[in-house]
PDB file of all heavy atoms in Angstrom:
ATOM      1  N   ILE A1031      58.369 179.122 293.211  1.00 90.00           N
ATOM      2  CA  ILE A1031      57.222 178.508 292.542  1.00 90.00           C
ATOM      3  C   ILE A1031      57.168 177.041 292.966  1.00 90.00           C
ATOM      4  O   ILE A1031      58.191 176.452 293.327  1.00 90.00           O
ATOM      5  CB  ILE A1031      57.310 178.617 290.994  1.00 90.00           C
ATOM      6  CG1 ILE A1031      58.525 177.855 290.450  1.00 90.00           C
ATOM      7  CG2 ILE A1031      57.338 180.062 290.559  1.00 90.00           C
ATOM      8  CD1 ILE A1031      58.599 177.819 288.929  1.00 90.00           C
ATOM      9  N   ASN A1032      55.969 176.465 292.938  1.00 90.00           N
ATOM     10  CA  ASN A1032      55.809 175.067 293.339  1.00 90.00           C
ATOM     11  C   ASN A1032      54.975 174.317 292.296  1.00 90.00           C
ATOM     12  O   ASN A1032      54.605 174.871 291.258  1.00 90.00           O
ATOM     13  CB  ASN A1032      55.166 174.975 294.724  1.00 90.00           C
ATOM     14  CG  ASN A1032      53.838 175.720 294.796  1.00 90.00           C
ATOM     15  OD1 ASN A1032      53.188 175.960 293.772  1.00 90.00           O
ATOM     16  ND2 ASN A1032      53.428 176.105 295.988  1.00 90.00           N
ATOM     17  N   GLU A1033      54.676 173.051 292.591  1.00 88.00           N
ATOM     18  CA  GLU A1033      53.929 172.228 291.645  1.00 88.00           C
ATOM     19  C   GLU A1033      52.550 172.800 291.347  1.00 88.00           C
ATOM     20  O   GLU A1033      52.062 172.731 290.218  1.00 88.00           O
ATOM     21  CB  GLU A1033      53.781 170.796 292.187  1.00 88.00           C
ATOM     22  CG  GLU A1033      55.069 169.996 292.217  1.00 88.00           C
ATOM     23  CD  GLU A1033      55.591 169.677 290.829  1.00 88.00           C
ATOM     24  OE1 GLU A1033      54.813 169.767 289.854  1.00 88.00           O
ATOM     25  OE2 GLU A1033      56.780 169.350 290.709  1.00 88.00           O
ATOM     26  N   ASN A1034      51.913 173.369 292.359  1.00 91.00           N
ATOM     27  CA  ASN A1034      50.579 173.945 292.158  1.00 91.00           C
ATOM     28  C   ASN A1034      50.640 175.133 291.199  1.00 91.00           C
ATOM     29  O   ASN A1034      49.793 175.262 290.300  1.00 91.00           O
ATOM     30  CB  ASN A1034      49.988 174.388 293.494  1.00 91.00           C
ATOM     31  CG  ASN A1034      48.573 174.899 293.351  1.00 91.00           C
ATOM     32  OD1 ASN A1034      47.686 174.187 292.898  1.00 91.00           O
ATOM     33  ND2 ASN A1034      48.354 176.153 293.728  1.00 91.00           N
ATOM     34  N   PHE A1035      51.659 175.982 291.369  1.00 91.00           N
ATOM     35  CA  PHE A1035      51.837 177.124 290.464  1.00 91.00           C
ATOM     36  C   PHE A1035      52.060 176.636 289.037  1.00 91.00           C
ATOM     37  O   PHE A1035      51.464 177.157 288.085  1.00 91.00           O
ATOM     38  CB  PHE A1035      53.027 177.975 290.908  1.00 91.00           C
ATOM     39  CG  PHE A1035      53.377 179.068 289.932  1.00 91.00           C
ATOM     40  CD1 PHE A1035      52.760 180.306 290.000  1.00 91.00           C
ATOM     41  CD2 PHE A1035      54.324 178.865 288.923  1.00 91.00           C
ATOM     42  CE1 PHE A1035      53.061 181.314 289.102  1.00 91.00           C
ATOM     43  CE2 PHE A1035      54.638 179.859 288.014  1.00 91.00           C
ATOM     44  CZ  PHE A1035      54.003 181.082 288.108  1.00 91.00           C
ATOM     45  N   ILE A1036      52.935 175.623 288.879  1.00 88.00           N
ATOM     46  CA  ILE A1036      53.243 175.097 287.554  1.00 88.00           C
ATOM     47  C   ILE A1036      51.997 174.513 286.902  1.00 88.00           C
ATOM     48  O   ILE A1036      51.742 174.727 285.708  1.00 88.00           O
ATOM     49  CB  ILE A1036      54.364 174.038 287.644  1.00 88.00           C
ATOM     50  CG1 ILE A1036      55.680 174.708 288.061  1.00 88.00           C
ATOM     51  CG2 ILE A1036      54.534 173.310 286.317  1.00 88.00           C
ATOM     52  CD1 ILE A1036      56.794 173.731 288.383  1.00 88.00           C
ATOM     53  N   ASP A1037      51.203 173.799 287.680  1.00 86.00           N
ATOM     54  CA  ASP A1037      49.989 173.187 287.159  1.00 86.00           C
ATOM     55  C   ASP A1037      48.990 174.244 286.694  1.00 86.00           C
ATOM     56  O   ASP A1037      48.451 174.177 285.580  1.00 86.00           O
ATOM     57  CB  ASP A1037      49.365 172.294 288.233  1.00 86.00           C
ATOM     58  CG  ASP A1037      48.124 171.560 287.724  1.00 86.00           C
ATOM     59  OD1 ASP A1037      48.210 170.906 286.672  1.00 86.00           O
ATOM     60  OD2 ASP A1037      47.066 171.653 288.387  1.00 86.00           O
ATOM     61  N   VAL A1038      48.750 175.234 287.546  1.00 89.00           N
ATOM     62  CA  VAL A1038      47.787 176.299 287.214  1.00 89.00           C
ATOM     63  C   VAL A1038      48.287 177.150 286.051  1.00 89.00           C
ATOM     64  O   VAL A1038      47.532 177.457 285.106  1.00 89.00           O
ATOM     65  CB  VAL A1038      47.512 177.183 288.454  1.00 89.00           C
ATOM     66  CG1 VAL A1038      46.655 178.385 288.074  1.00 89.00           C
ATOM     67  CG2 VAL A1038      46.838 176.381 289.557  1.00 89.00           C
ATOM     68  N   ALA A1039      49.560 177.525 286.097  1.00 88.00           N
ATOM     69  CA  ALA A1039      50.125 178.374 285.042  1.00 88.00           C
ATOM     70  C   ALA A1039      50.146 177.643 283.703  1.00 88.00           C
ATOM     71  O   ALA A1039      49.894 178.246 282.651  1.00 88.00           O
ATOM     72  CB  ALA A1039      51.536 178.818 285.426  1.00 88.00           C
ATOM     73  N   SER A1040      50.439 176.347 283.721  1.00 86.00           N
ATOM     74  CA  SER A1040      50.457 175.559 282.485  1.00 86.00           C
ATOM     75  C   SER A1040      49.069 175.506 281.855  1.00 86.00           C
ATOM     76  O   SER A1040      48.917 175.609 280.632  1.00 86.00           O
ATOM     77  CB  SER A1040      50.960 174.141 282.763  1.00 86.00           C
ATOM     78  OG  SER A1040      52.296 174.164 283.222  1.00 86.00           O
ATOM     79  N   LYS A1041      48.038 175.353 282.694  1.00 86.00           N
ATOM     80  CA  LYS A1041      46.666 175.356 282.185  1.00 86.00           C
ATOM     81  C   LYS A1041      46.307 176.732 281.614  1.00 86.00           C
ATOM     82  O   LYS A1041      45.625 176.826 280.586  1.00 86.00           O
ATOM     83  CB  LYS A1041      45.698 174.987 283.303  1.00 86.00           C
ATOM     84  CG  LYS A1041      45.756 173.518 283.711  1.00 86.00           C
ATOM     85  CD  LYS A1041      44.793 173.209 284.849  1.00 86.00           C
ATOM     86  CE  LYS A1041      44.863 171.744 285.245  1.00 86.00           C
ATOM     87  NZ  LYS A1041      43.995 171.432 286.403  1.00 86.00           N
ATOM     88  N   LEU A1042      46.770 177.790 282.280  1.00 89.00           N
ATOM     89  CA  LEU A1042      46.517 179.144 281.787  1.00 89.00           C
ATOM     90  C   LEU A1042      47.161 179.348 280.420  1.00 89.00           C
ATOM     91  O   LEU A1042      46.533 179.898 279.503  1.00 89.00           O
ATOM     92  CB  LEU A1042      47.063 180.173 282.784  1.00 89.00           C
ATOM     93  CG  LEU A1042      46.916 181.650 282.387  1.00 89.00           C
ATOM     94  CD1 LEU A1042      45.450 182.046 282.336  1.00 89.00           C
ATOM     95  CD2 LEU A1042      47.678 182.546 283.362  1.00 89.00           C
ATOM     96  N   VAL A1043      48.395 178.899 280.266  1.00 88.00           N
ATOM     97  CA  VAL A1043      49.096 179.028 278.994  1.00 88.00           C
ATOM     98  C   VAL A1043      48.369 178.251 277.902  1.00 88.00           C
ATOM     99  O   VAL A1043      48.086 178.783 276.821  1.00 88.00           O
ATOM    100  CB  VAL A1043      50.556 178.534 279.126  1.00 88.00           C
ATOM    101  CG1 VAL A1043      51.192 178.384 277.739  1.00 88.00           C
ATOM    102  CG2 VAL A1043      51.373 179.503 279.964  1.00 88.00           C
ATOM    103  N   PHE A1044      48.058 176.994 278.179  1.00 85.00           N
ATOM    104  CA  PHE A1044      47.471 176.121 277.162  1.00 85.00           C
ATOM    105  C   PHE A1044      46.068 176.562 276.757  1.00 85.00           C
ATOM    106  O   PHE A1044      45.702 176.498 275.585  1.00 85.00           O
ATOM    107  CB  PHE A1044      47.436 174.680 277.679  1.00 85.00           C
ATOM    108  CG  PHE A1044      46.920 173.687 276.666  1.00 85.00           C
ATOM    109  CD1 PHE A1044      47.692 173.330 275.572  1.00 85.00           C
ATOM    110  CD2 PHE A1044      45.663 173.118 276.807  1.00 85.00           C
ATOM    111  CE1 PHE A1044      47.217 172.413 274.630  1.00 85.00           C
ATOM    112  CE2 PHE A1044      45.182 172.204 275.876  1.00 85.00           C
ATOM    113  CZ  PHE A1044      45.966 171.851 274.782  1.00 85.00           C
ATOM    114  N   ASN A1045      45.291 177.017 277.732  1.00 86.00           N
ATOM    115  CA  ASN A1045      43.879 177.323 277.464  1.00 86.00           C
ATOM    116  C   ASN A1045      43.605 178.779 277.107  1.00 86.00           C
ATOM    117  O   ASN A1045      42.580 179.068 276.478  1.00 86.00           O
ATOM    118  CB  ASN A1045      43.025 176.949 278.682  1.00 86.00           C
ATOM    119  CG  ASN A1045      42.959 175.454 278.900  1.00 86.00           C
ATOM    120  OD1 ASN A1045      42.431 174.719 278.076  1.00 86.00           O
ATOM    121  ND2 ASN A1045      43.502 174.985 280.004  1.00 86.00           N
ATOM    122  N   VAL A1046      44.499 179.707 277.505  1.00 88.00           N
ATOM    123  CA  VAL A1046      44.199 181.123 277.304  1.00 88.00           C
ATOM    124  C   VAL A1046      45.308 181.879 276.567  1.00 88.00           C
ATOM    125  O   VAL A1046      45.096 182.396 275.465  1.00 88.00           O
ATOM    126  CB  VAL A1046      43.924 181.822 278.658  1.00 88.00           C
ATOM    127  CG1 VAL A1046      43.554 183.290 278.427  1.00 88.00           C
ATOM    128  CG2 VAL A1046      42.805 181.118 279.419  1.00 88.00           C
ATOM    129  N   THR A1047      46.499 181.952 277.164  1.00 89.00           N
ATOM    130  CA  THR A1047      47.511 182.869 276.618  1.00 89.00           C
ATOM    131  C   THR A1047      48.096 182.400 275.290  1.00 89.00           C
ATOM    132  O   THR A1047      48.295 183.202 274.385  1.00 89.00           O
ATOM    133  CB  THR A1047      48.650 183.107 277.633  1.00 89.00           C
ATOM    134  OG1 THR A1047      49.401 181.896 277.810  1.00 89.00           O
ATOM    135  CG2 THR A1047      48.110 183.573 278.970  1.00 89.00           C
ATOM    136  N   LEU A1048      48.378 181.096 275.157  1.00 87.00           N
ATOM    137  CA  LEU A1048      48.925 180.599 273.893  1.00 87.00           C
ATOM    138  C   LEU A1048      47.899 180.666 272.760  1.00 87.00           C
ATOM    139  O   LEU A1048      48.242 181.104 271.646  1.00 87.00           O
ATOM    140  CB  LEU A1048      49.458 179.178 274.075  1.00 87.00           C
ATOM    141  CG  LEU A1048      50.172 178.548 272.870  1.00 87.00           C
ATOM    142  CD1 LEU A1048      51.276 179.455 272.341  1.00 87.00           C
ATOM    143  CD2 LEU A1048      50.740 177.181 273.238  1.00 87.00           C
ATOM    144  N   PRO A1049      46.635 180.289 272.984  1.00 88.00           N
ATOM    145  CA  PRO A1049      45.636 180.512 271.939  1.00 88.00           C
ATOM    146  C   PRO A1049      45.518 181.986 271.533  1.00 88.00           C
ATOM    147  O   PRO A1049      45.364 182.298 270.351  1.00 88.00           O
ATOM    148  CB  PRO A1049      44.335 180.018 272.591  1.00 88.00           C
ATOM    149  CG  PRO A1049      44.785 178.967 273.547  1.00 88.00           C
ATOM    150  CD  PRO A1049      46.088 179.487 274.094  1.00 88.00           C
ATOM    151  N   ALA A1050      45.618 182.899 272.523  1.00 89.00           N
ATOM    152  CA  ALA A1050      45.562 184.335 272.220  1.00 89.00           C
ATOM    153  C   ALA A1050      46.743 184.745 271.348  1.00 89.00           C
ATOM    154  O   ALA A1050      46.583 185.500 270.378  1.00 89.00           O
ATOM    155  CB  ALA A1050      45.551 185.151 273.509  1.00 89.00           C
ATOM    156  N   LEU A1051      47.934 184.243 271.674  1.00 86.00           N
ATOM    157  CA  LEU A1051      49.129 184.568 270.884  1.00 86.00           C
ATOM    158  C   LEU A1051      48.982 184.086 269.447  1.00 86.00           C
ATOM    159  O   LEU A1051      49.264 184.829 268.493  1.00 86.00           O
ATOM    160  CB  LEU A1051      50.358 183.916 271.535  1.00 86.00           C
ATOM    161  CG  LEU A1051      51.673 184.007 270.737  1.00 86.00           C
ATOM    162  CD1 LEU A1051      52.114 185.451 270.570  1.00 86.00           C
ATOM    163  CD2 LEU A1051      52.762 183.183 271.403  1.00 86.00           C
ATOM    164  N   LEU A1052      48.541 182.858 269.265  1.00 85.00           N
ATOM    165  CA  LEU A1052      48.398 182.304 267.916  1.00 85.00           C
ATOM    166  C   LEU A1052      47.318 183.030 267.117  1.00 85.00           C
ATOM    167  O   LEU A1052      47.499 183.334 265.930  1.00 85.00           O
ATOM    168  CB  LEU A1052      48.089 180.809 268.010  1.00 85.00           C
ATOM    169  CG  LEU A1052      49.186 179.942 268.654  1.00 85.00           C
ATOM    170  CD1 LEU A1052      48.699 178.514 268.842  1.00 85.00           C
ATOM    171  CD2 LEU A1052      50.458 179.977 267.833  1.00 85.00           C
ATOM    172  N   PHE A1053      46.192 183.318 267.768  1.00 88.00           N
ATOM    173  CA  PHE A1053      45.091 184.038 267.107  1.00 88.00           C
ATOM    174  C   PHE A1053      45.548 185.417 266.647  1.00 88.00           C
ATOM    175  O   PHE A1053      45.349 185.803 265.481  1.00 88.00           O
ATOM    176  CB  PHE A1053      43.911 184.170 268.070  1.00 88.00           C
ATOM    177  CG  PHE A1053      42.786 185.023 267.548  1.00 88.00           C
ATOM    178  CD1 PHE A1053      41.866 184.514 266.648  1.00 88.00           C
ATOM    179  CD2 PHE A1053      42.660 186.345 267.956  1.00 88.00           C
ATOM    180  CE1 PHE A1053      40.835 185.305 266.161  1.00 88.00           C
ATOM    181  CE2 PHE A1053      41.633 187.136 267.484  1.00 88.00           C
ATOM    182  CZ  PHE A1053      40.717 186.620 266.581  1.00 88.00           C
ATOM    183  N   LEU A1054      46.198 186.172 267.539  1.00 87.00           N
ATOM    184  CA  LEU A1054      46.637 187.532 267.209  1.00 87.00           C
ATOM    185  C   LEU A1054      47.736 187.527 266.150  1.00 87.00           C
ATOM    186  O   LEU A1054      47.800 188.432 265.315  1.00 87.00           O
ATOM    187  CB  LEU A1054      47.120 188.247 268.467  1.00 87.00           C
ATOM    188  CG  LEU A1054      46.036 188.570 269.502  1.00 87.00           C
ATOM    189  CD1 LEU A1054      46.655 189.128 270.764  1.00 87.00           C
ATOM    190  CD2 LEU A1054      45.023 189.564 268.927  1.00 87.00           C
ATOM    191  N   SER A1055      48.610 186.515 266.197  1.00 82.00           N
ATOM    192  CA  SER A1055      49.680 186.425 265.197  1.00 82.00           C
ATOM    193  C   SER A1055      49.105 186.247 263.799  1.00 82.00           C
ATOM    194  O   SER A1055      49.616 186.811 262.830  1.00 82.00           O
ATOM    195  CB  SER A1055      50.609 185.254 265.528  1.00 82.00           C
ATOM    196  OG  SER A1055      51.246 185.447 266.765  1.00 82.00           O
ATOM    197  N   ILE A1056      48.033 185.476 263.695  1.00 82.00           N
ATOM    198  CA  ILE A1056      47.429 185.217 262.386  1.00 82.00           C
ATOM    199  C   ILE A1056      46.680 186.436 261.862  1.00 82.00           C
ATOM    200  O   ILE A1056      46.866 186.854 260.722  1.00 82.00           O
ATOM    201  CB  ILE A1056      46.487 183.996 262.462  1.00 82.00           C
ATOM    202  CG1 ILE A1056      47.296 182.720 262.664  1.00 82.00           C
ATOM    203  CG2 ILE A1056      45.638 183.881 261.193  1.00 82.00           C
ATOM    204  CD1 ILE A1056      46.464 181.495 262.926  1.00 82.00           C
ATOM    205  N   ILE A1057      45.837 187.053 262.693  1.00 84.00           N
ATOM    206  CA  ILE A1057      45.007 188.156 262.191  1.00 84.00           C
ATOM    207  C   ILE A1057      45.821 189.420 261.907  1.00 84.00           C
ATOM    208  O   ILE A1057      45.388 190.283 261.141  1.00 84.00           O
ATOM    209  CB  ILE A1057      43.848 188.488 263.166  1.00 84.00           C
ATOM    210  CG1 ILE A1057      44.382 189.026 264.503  1.00 84.00           C
ATOM    211  CG2 ILE A1057      42.960 187.281 263.382  1.00 84.00           C
ATOM    212  CD1 ILE A1057      43.299 189.576 265.402  1.00 84.00           C
ATOM    213  N   SER A1058      47.006 189.523 262.525  1.00 79.00           N
ATOM    214  CA  SER A1058      47.847 190.709 262.288  1.00 79.00           C
ATOM    215  C   SER A1058      48.967 190.420 261.299  1.00 79.00           C
ATOM    216  O   SER A1058      49.847 191.253 261.098  1.00 79.00           O
ATOM    217  CB  SER A1058      48.439 191.201 263.612  1.00 79.00           C
ATOM    218  OG  SER A1058      49.242 190.194 264.211  1.00 79.00           O
ATOM    219  N   SER A1059      48.937 189.259 260.665  1.00 72.00           N
ATOM    220  CA  SER A1059      50.023 188.857 259.767  1.00 72.00           C
ATOM    221  C   SER A1059      49.975 189.610 258.447  1.00 72.00           C
ATOM    222  O   SER A1059      48.914 189.822 257.872  1.00 72.00           O
ATOM    223  CB  SER A1059      49.940 187.350 259.501  1.00 72.00           C
ATOM    224  OG  SER A1059      50.878 186.976 258.521  1.00 72.00           O
ATOM    225  N   ASN A1060      51.178 190.002 257.982  1.00 67.00           N
ATOM    226  CA  ASN A1060      51.302 190.582 256.646  1.00 67.00           C
ATOM    227  C   ASN A1060      51.714 189.528 255.631  1.00 67.00           C
ATOM    228  O   ASN A1060      51.896 189.813 254.460  1.00 67.00           O
ATOM    229  CB  ASN A1060      52.355 191.702 256.660  1.00 67.00           C
ATOM    230  CG  ASN A1060      51.906 192.882 257.500  1.00 67.00           C
ATOM    231  OD1 ASN A1060      50.744 193.260 257.466  1.00 67.00           O
ATOM    232  ND2 ASN A1060      52.827 193.456 258.264  1.00 67.00           N
TER     233      ASN A1060
END
Side-chain angles (χ1 to χ4, degrees):
I1031 63 175
N1032 55 22
E1033 290 292 342
N1034 184 59
F1035 173 87
I1036 293 171
D1037 183 52
V1038 173
S1040 297
K1041 288 179 180 177
L1042 178 66
V1043 168
F1044 183 72
N1045 292 296
V1046 182
T1047 68
L1048 185 52
L1051 173 63
L1052 297 173
F1053 174 80
L1054 292 173
S1055 297
I1056 291 173
I1057 65 171
S1058 60
S1059 173
N1060 293 320

